[in-house]
Amino acid sequence: MSSTRPLRVAIVGAGPAGIYAADILSKTDLDVSIDLFERLPAPFGLVRYGVAPDHPRIKGIINALHKVLSRGDVRLLANVNYGVDLKLEDLRQYYDAVVFSTGAIKDAALGIPGIDLDGSYGAADFVSWFDGHPDVPRTWPLEAQHVAVLGAGNVALDVTRILAKHPKDLMSTEIPANVQAGLEASPVTDVHVFARRGPAQVKFSPLELRELGHVPDVDIVVYPEDFDFDEGSMEAIEATNQTKQVVKTLTDWTLVEPSQQKASRRIHLHFLHSPSEVLGEDGKVVGLRTERTALQGDGTVQGTGEFHDWPVQAVYRAVGYFGSPLPEIPFDDLKGVISNREGRVVDLDGEHLPGVYTTGWIKRGPVGLIGHTKSDASETIRHLVEDVTGVSGGAADGDPQGSLEGGRTAPHGEPQQVLDFLSERGVDVITWDEFTLLDTHELGLGEAAGRERIKVVPREEMIDIAKGRA
């Protein structure tokens, strides 16, 4: 080990959180060499595989992330699966510090009877399908005429919009061919969205909600009896312009005459309805039971004991994402995050694991926007730098790594050594230059079809294109 070589840092997870952390670390005063690991053959995480294809303005974030990786001072090592291809004990051999930014990609649980019936799905899985995630099945069982979506956030709106939208209105997007074919076969006519609280408590963004009202040949149906505003609701409306805009949009829809609604598909927005049971017959979804709730004066709700059954053949729960545990890394099973203190990973006794950090949703949970991800990464990287240099208090628990040869603790610190290790294990590592071959191929498919891009979906095909084998 030598303090003269660059500090070697591995970042596991190449979504926005990992790329922001790499960018911030690269701009510190440290002499640092950064490798960015990604389980999939392509980087960008939920921006590539978690944003609806008809939202290109959000996918534009990829352009900024693309610039970071194209600079050449951060090395991408994609198609490397942490926990399978290598583990923490392996990373410690080649890196002085490791930052985990693996995000949260699974659906949060919803503990109501019938939630596991055939026809009950998690929104995250559906989003992965329509975004062309390489690890999900190529087909999706779109067999329901009437569908329920549970949730009051933007993911619920994305799921609702993709289900209700006519496929021809998605043809200008990067929607994969298999997704287009599946949606064209869908018999859906009505999508019902259920929110447990009132119109002033939903988490829709104003722009996404307004977009819902501009989907061609789809009517928005709201129910005046669902509109109730208590003192807490009025305070929320006055407190933020976002809530005020959302309530105004929803209220305007109550003024639309039913006689004007002649579209072939409908989106129904229901408020003050709490899902209590998914109803089934012969193991399949046949309905949803909700309980009417009532506002309690402070914006919270309680059940009234009044129930209603809705005849639907599919249910999608969009109640949030949840993190997944990683081998050898302390995990908080209740919160779904890596156990940490401001980004420093801690063990069961609350002691910092030297050289191990985390950022993004796997650090703080699946909340916040891209701006939060940047500030989150800044906090983690600040602590990493403190620990390495011994400046500003040093590491947690009074044992700054700055005393350990400038934090350079890995016995094998040459960049080629980790590549040799992965090659010996038969891992088909995809570098940034190789990914750009896939990127160019997808853009070419889009250009031929009059679109910006068409995603390549099967994992093996993605790898072969990146490696020049296709």
Side-chain angles (χ1 to χ4, degrees):
M1 295 177 290
S2 171
S3 60
T4 60
R5 68 164 172 79
L7 186 81
R8 293 279 289 147
V9 178
I11 299 177
V12 181
I19 296 175
Y20 287 140
D23 184 41
I24 293 166
L25 179 58
S26 71
K27 294 174 180 176
T28 65
D29 292 333
L30 289 177
D31 180 16
V32 63
S33 169
I34 306 168
D35 283 349
L36 186 61
F37 288 88
E38 171 55 47
R39 181 177 63 84
L40 299 175
F44 308 130
L46 280 181
V47 179
R48 179 179 167 100
Y49 291 118
V51 177
D54 58 347
H55 273 178
R57 61 181 180 81
I58 297 178
K59 286 183 177 291
I61 296 167
I62 285 182
N63 294 333
L65 303 178
H66 194 285
K67 289 179 180 178
V68 175
L69 295 184
S70 64
R71 291 194 316 237
D73 57 341
V74 175
R75 186 170 66 168
L76 176 69
L77 303 179
N79 199 44
V80 180
N81 191 358
Y82 176 82
V84 176
D85 299 325
L86 78 181
K87 297 183 180 179
L88 182 59
E89 61 182 310
D90 303 313
L91 289 171
R92 287 189 183 277
Q93 295 296 307
Y94 305 103
Y95 299 94
D96 309 304
V98 183
V99 181
F100 289 93
S101 56
T102 50
I105 60 173
K106 291 188 176 180
D107 287 285
L110 180 62
I112 61 174
I115 198 65
D116 294 324
L117 286 167
D118 184 11
S120 176
Y121 310 107
D125 291 335
F126 183 57
V127 171
S128 291
W129 175 74
F130 67 61
D131 260 333
H133 195 293
D135 291 344
V136 301
R138 300 294 307 282
T139 60
W140 190 271
L142 294 167
E143 302 165 349
Q145 182 177 357
H146 302 276
V147 178
V149 177
L150 314 181
N154 286 341
V155 174
L157 291 187
D158 284 348
V159 169
T160 298
R161 196 177 60 256
I162 296 299
L163 285 168
K165 206 167 191 175
H166 292 277
K168 64 182 178 63
D169 296 316
L170 290 167
M171 286 309 298
S172 62
T173 74
E174 60 185 43
I175 181 173
N178 64 296
V179 176
Q180 175 194 342
L183 292 172
E184 285 178 344
S186 171
V188 68
T189 58
D190 294 81
V191 181
H192 296 261
V193 183
F194 294 92
R196 186 173 57 87
R197 297 196 289 172
Q201 287 79 41
V202 295
K203 300 300 182 183
F204 307 141
S205 69
L207 182 57
E208 291 230 10
L209 186 63
R210 287 196 297 270
E211 284 180 357
L212 205 65
H214 296 294
V215 179
D217 194 31
V218 176
D219 283 329
I220 306 298
V221 183
V222 295
Y223 300 86
E225 62 269 25
D226 290 351
F227 281 69
D228 189 18
F229 301 94
D230 61 359
E231 184 175 343
S233 300
M234 299 311 297
E235 290 176 356
I237 293 170
E238 293 301 320
T240 68
N241 189 50
Q242 176 166 313
T243 301
K244 186 178 299 183
Q245 290 182 57
V246 166
V247 170
K248 181 183 185 306
T249 298
L250 293 171
T251 304
D252 286 347
W253 284 335
T254 67
L255 305 178
V256 178
E257 291 292 335
S259 60
Q260 299 176 12
Q261 297 181 319
K262 299 179 180 180
S264 65
R265 293 180 176 181
R266 290 157 294 279
I267 294 172
H268 306 257
L269 301 178
H270 304 275
F271 306 103
L272 301 172
H273 281 276
S274 179
S276 63
E277 183 178 358
V278 179
L279 306 176
E281 287 183 5
D282 299 324
K284 295 186 177 182
V285 171
V286 297
L288 174 72
R289 178 167 295 161
T290 64
E291 181 181 11
R292 169 66 78 177
T293 60
L295 290 162
Q296 298 301 295
D298 59 357
T300 63
V301 295
Q302 284 188 357
T304 64
E306 176 187 341
F307 294 89
H308 188 90
D309 290 353
W310 309 85
V312 298
Q313 299 85 48
V315 174
Y316 291 78
R317 68 183 186 279
V319 295
Y321 289 85
F322 202 78
S324 302
L326 300 170
E328 302 179 344
I329 307 301
F331 192 75
D332 187 326
D333 292 305
L334 293 179
K335 296 179 180 178
V337 299
I338 291 174
S339 301
N340 75 94
R341 188 166 54 248
E342 295 186 346
R344 289 181 173 113
V345 175
V346 297
D347 60 20
L348 293 177
D349 297 321
E351 300 291 326
H352 176 215
L353 292 182
V356 186
Y357 304 85
T358 184
T359 191
W361 279 5
I362 198 64
K363 166 189 172 184
R364 59 183 163 86
V367 293
L369 304 175
I370 291 294
H372 296 91
T373 302
K374 288 183 178 180
S375 60
D376 194 50
S378 295
E379 177 184 68
T380 295
I381 297 305
R382 184 177 72 251
H383 287 314
L384 187 157
V385 172
E386 290 173 359
D387 293 348
V388 167
T389 62
V391 177
S392 298
D397 310 312
D399 183 19
Q401 291 180 33
S403 64
L404 300 175
E405 295 194 72
R408 289 147 177 85
T409 58
H412 306 294
E414 294 300 319
Q416 182 60 38
Q417 291 176 300
V418 69
L419 293 179
D420 293 341
F421 170 82
L422 292 169
S423 177
E424 290 172 3
R425 292 201 165 188
V427 181
D428 242 344
V429 178
I430 294 176
T431 64
W432 174 252
D433 287 341
E434 291 170 329
F435 166 73
T436 58
L437 295 178
L438 173 63
D439 193 46
T440 300
H441 183 85
E442 291 184 339
L443 291 171
L445 292 176
E447 183 178 359
R451 310 191 217 170
E452 181 179 353
R453 172 194 303 273
I454 295 178
K455 285 180 186 171
V456 175
V457 178
R459 175 185 280 266
E460 291 307 316
E461 184 178 341
M462 294 174 70
I463 296 170
D464 285 343
I465 292 170
K467 290 293 184 180
R469 300 192 293 246

